[in-house]
Amino acid sequence: MSISGNTRVLCVIGDPVAHSLSPRIHNAFLAESGLDYVYLAFQVKAGDLGRFIHAVQVLGIKGFNVTMPHKEWIVPFLDDMTEQVRRCGAVNTVAVKDGRLVGHNTDGAGFLRALALGGIVPVGMKVLILGRGGAAKTVALALADNGANVLMAARNMTLPPLDAQIEPVLWEEIGGIVGACDMVVNATPLGMPGQDFSDFSFVDGLPEHAYVVDLVYHPSQTTLLRRGHDRGLQVMNGLRHLVCQGALSFEFFTEITPSLTLVDGLIRDLSS
């Protein structure tokens, strides 16, 4: 990569963000595209979000991804947003078009693309989503829109209404309902370093054909996935989803679609 005075910046913001694989993914997309851009990671604390938005305009940043804890907090700063963002209230991609900040969310479509690469069709599946954050909501809506029967559970709280197609359940009820589920998707931070599930007994209640999917990608094999694997269940970590939603984000930034060969190669490299 050659950096010059004409090089433009794309980035990801979050707190923490040092562990992010997005720079590796997007700089690979940029290398393939030949664009004179660089993709960086910026740690932005909660109270500094407004200052970052000002910096976007001052520095001419062309687009940025948004991760925890900013996915919902970024919404008031946007000039426009997609219908998907209006439905879920969360953003993971902001494209800067003619100085206007346009919010997108590629989590749902990226998740469906990741499932498709694994040969998984969600139509008719009963899927339990663990979590109530931005990624959880977007994935739940995408699955419901594509024919899945979706349930959502959150820790220590009830879920606000999200969509008529999505059934909220109490965290304490998980053990009693997983026996009828075809897939469980962890969309909480549980599994990341320093925090994990206190009880994995619900994994033992899943049917033998069920999938266990974790959107956490650091570490690449969480305790939840190990428990699922030990039971002989089919498991998928968050790396495939990360690359697929990143490819969609890159399209919004640049109007260029990364090649499937590169996407597949990144998934293999990051999983090794």
Side-chain angles (χ1 to χ4, degrees):
M1 181 180 294
S2 176
I3 304 297
S4 73
N6 293 316
T7 303
R8 294 295 174 257
V9 174
L10 301 169
C11 64
V12 58
I13 64 168
D15 185 24
V17 77
H19 67 282
S20 177
L21 295 175
S22 291
R24 181 172 170 183
I25 292 168
H26 281 268
N27 283 313
F29 294 157
L30 287 168
E32 180 184 64
S33 73
L35 293 175
D36 189 8
Y37 282 64
V38 65
Y39 187 103
L40 305 171
F42 295 138
Q43 180 172 333
V44 176
K45 296 187 178 299
D48 291 332
L49 189 54
R51 296 169 66 191
F52 169 77
I53 296 300
H54 180 65
V56 167
Q57 306 290 3
V58 172
L59 299 177
I61 293 173
K62 296 301 183 180
F64 56 96
N65 288 116
V66 184
T67 189
M68 295 185 291
H70 303 305
K71 286 189 173 186
E72 294 168 301
W73 296 343
I74 195 77
V75 172
F77 295 96
L78 302 175
D79 298 303
D80 199 3
M81 65 191 76
T82 63
E83 180 59 28
Q84 185 75 4
V85 170
R86 290 189 176 91
R87 289 179 70 197
C88 70
V91 172
N92 78 336
T93 302
V94 178
V96 183
K97 302 296 183 183
D98 299 321
R100 292 172 55 81
L101 274 60
V102 182
H104 304 265
N105 197 310
T106 65
D107 278 330
F111 185 76
L112 294 175
R113 186 175 291 187
L115 292 183
L117 288 177
I120 305 170
V121 179
V123 177
M125 280 189 172
K126 189 167 189 175
V127 183
L128 173 63
I129 308 288
L130 305 179
R132 68 185 300 272
K137 294 176 190 176
T138 314
V139 167
L141 286 168
L143 286 167
D145 289 346
N146 283 269
N149 178 11
V150 181
L151 304 91
M152 288 185 71
R155 293 175 289 167
N156 305 320
M157 64 186 75
T158 57
L159 287 159
L162 179 62
D163 189 279
Q165 304 174 84
I166 299 169
E167 179 184 349
V169 297
L170 297 174
W171 192 265
E172 295 76 15
E173 297 174 343
I174 292 173
I177 63 175
V178 291
C181 292
D182 303 296
M183 180 186 296
V184 170
V185 181
N186 175 38
T188 75
L190 294 176
M192 295 181 71
Q195 51 185 323
D196 216 330
F197 289 89
S198 58
D199 182 6
F200 290 91
S201 60
F202 66 91
V203 178
D204 298 330
L206 287 164
E208 293 182 357
H209 69 272
Y211 295 86
V212 179
V213 182
D214 204 327
L215 298 190
V216 170
Y217 62 86
H218 177 66
S220 60
Q221 186 180 40
T222 62
T223 308
L224 174 63
L225 294 182
R226 285 198 299 272
R227 289 292 291 262
H229 181 269
D230 290 345
R231 264 217 56 210
L233 304 177
Q234 301 175 81
V235 301
M236 186 175 82
N237 66 24
L239 290 172
R240 187 181 296 165
H241 173 244
L242 179 71
V243 176
C244 288
Q245 64 82 19
L248 292 168
S249 292
F250 189 79
E251 292 179 36
F252 287 123
F253 295 148
T254 67
E255 300 182 358
I256 294 174
T257 302
S259 70
L260 184 58
T261 299
L262 178 56
V263 168
D264 286 343
L266 280 169
I267 293 171
R268 288 195 303 271
D269 291 347
L270 294 172
S271 299
S272 61

